[in-house]
Amino acid sequence: PRFWGYITSSAAPIGALGDFLAATVNPNVGGWPLSPMATEIERQTVKWIAELIGYPSDCGGLLVSGGNMANFVGFLAARKARAGWDIRAHGTAGDSPLRVYASEETHTWSQKAADLFGLGTDSIRWIPTDGRLRLDTGKLLAQIKKDRQAGARPLLVVGTAGSVSSGAIDPLPEIASICRDHELWFHVDGAYGGVAAVLPEASADLRGLRLADSVAVDPHKWLYAPIEAGCTLVRNPAHLLDAFSYRPPYYHLKYESADPETNYFEQGPQNTRGFRALKVWLGLKQVGRQGYVTMIRDDIRLAGDMHRAVAAHPEFEMFHQELSISTFRYVPRRLSATRGEPETEAWLNRLNAELLGAIHASGELYLTNAVIDGRFVLRACIVNFRTSRADVEAVPSIVARLGAVVDERLGRES
Ligand SMILES: *Cc1c(COP(=O)(O)O)cnc(C)c1O
């Protein structure tokens, strides 16, 4: 109940049954003839996820291992659709340089993608963020124009629906209209926060993910599926086939018919594929839309309760609270007056980094960290259906008690 590190959720028990059954039957969900039932269950799972978050349910999509892979699939669909030449055949060399736009808060999958898929990490334009750590659309627009003038080819913009550090949600509707006006692919990384669009009270910014050309979500985060389960949704299903399909003669399949069979090997990077859809499908069947609304809403409410409880304690400085993430740092009373001075800031960074280790060693709760404007802060992310109000209200006294011990130890050592 007190595990709030990274974005690693408690796994739904029914998902364990799903993985057990999947391993028992062991279907290969690469080709329809090998796994007709599993393929249809995966198709239904993708459709249900789209319906859950308000994405067009006639989209294409498939399940992958996690958020990184789900984002890679969107990236590859964009690369093929918007390069302007046959990039699958000719690669990236020798043509006008491709450009990718993402905020400075974007997850590192974007670097891995630019690197692995031939663009190189220098192709990424890191767009600064505003005071709430959201992509600054004015700066985005200026950079796109500048790159066009310099002869580069803007390819895609990544919007984040729930950043890893602070849960920030980029202004997705505005980014969508910039992409429309300038003919860029719009990809949303909703690995963490995407499914929060199920909430009737979700912000217009978050609901803007429905405007994207592709969206990555991570069922092994807020849908509580056991690891591994990611999912890519692509507005136009043909873009997946365009990006991934090869049809070798040794697969004698019925590709062309009025109702063609779904063969996932030609819609994503994998060939042999496991039946990871079953655990996600069972979770959706078990609790349904209302169950996820309740659980996700609870986590967000608990993060707010934690934020207020910590803020009420005199020895903490608060940073952000978005979705189910709260960030704060321990500031011993004796240092509160000199906060902001370089010497105190250096001490607080060291103190909070050491404190994180002490929290882990205590076994009492589990937090991780973020770095915000050069400040090392503690971070709780609640994707845990076992967390209760009492758990989050215990945070300030535990962390302040451990903080005082660490502060004293560092004082003696220095
Ligand atoms: C978790 C996360 C990822 C990476 O997903 P994995 O499942 O760890 O591969 C990417 N982007 C965001 C915003 C995430 O929260």
Side-chain angles (χ1 to χ4, degrees), residues 122-301:
D122 288 349
S123 67
I124 305 175
R125 298 302 194 213
W126 297 107
I127 308 299
T129 53
D130 64 15
R132 287 172 61 198
L133 303 177
R134 300 143 24 103
L135 181 142
D136 181 326
T137 48
K139 293 189 171 131
L140 168 68
L141 200 52
Q143 187 65 51
I144 290 171
K145 288 182 177 156
K146 199 167 145 199
D147 286 337
R148 276 245 158 85
Q149 274 158 17
R153 188 173 174 93
L155 185 80
L156 91 148
V157 182
V158 177
T160 296
S163 67
V164 176
S165 284
S166 69
I169 296 163
D170 286 334
L172 303 181
E174 278 177 59
I175 299 175
S177 76
I178 291 172
C179 289
R180 224 179 6 252
D181 292 349
H182 295 266
E183 298 186 343
L184 274 80
W185 185 278
F186 177 31
H187 173 76
V188 169
D189 177 4
Y192 160 46
V195 294
V198 69
L199 299 175
E201 65 271 28
S203 68
D205 278 346
L206 179 53
R207 279 186 281 115
L209 59 70
R210 71 185 59 190
L211 304 169
D213 294 298
S214 54
V215 179
V217 295
D218 233 354
H220 68 204
K221 288 180 174 164
W222 239 344
L223 292 184
Y224 293 115
I227 292 165
E228 299 168 342
C231 177
T232 312
L233 305 173
V234 178
R235 177 175 298 273
N236 177 351
H239 281 138
L240 282 178
L241 287 168
D242 287 350
F244 293 102
S245 177
Y246 293 103
R247 293 178 170 176
Y250 46 82
Y251 293 161
H252 185 66
L253 298 172
K254 279 179 271 167
Y255 296 111
E256 315 292 345
S257 72
D259 183 19
E261 293 162 351
T262 300
N263 297 296
Y264 282 115
F265 80 88
E266 59 166 348
Q267 298 197 28
Q270 274 183 277
N271 196 62
T272 294
R273 299 173 73 252
F275 190 12
R276 53 168 63 94
L278 185 58
K279 60 193 171 190
V280 182
W281 187 82
L282 282 171
L284 288 161
K285 291 279 276 187
Q286 183 187 24
V287 302
R289 172 184 289 269
Q290 197 49 48
Y292 282 114
V293 165
T294 302
M295 289 190 287
I296 292 170
R297 186 183 279 157
D298 275 355
D299 286 349
I300 293 172
R301 189 182 300 140

Side-chain angles (χ1 to χ4, degrees), residues 38-51 264 277 281 284-285:
T39 299
E40 294 306 326
I41 287 177
E42 179 159 344
R43 257 160 48 98
Q44 189 167 64
T45 305
V46 167
K47 191 174 154 77
W48 283 353
I49 290 172
E51 285 174 359
Y264 282 115
W281 187 82
L284 288 161
K285 291 279 276 187

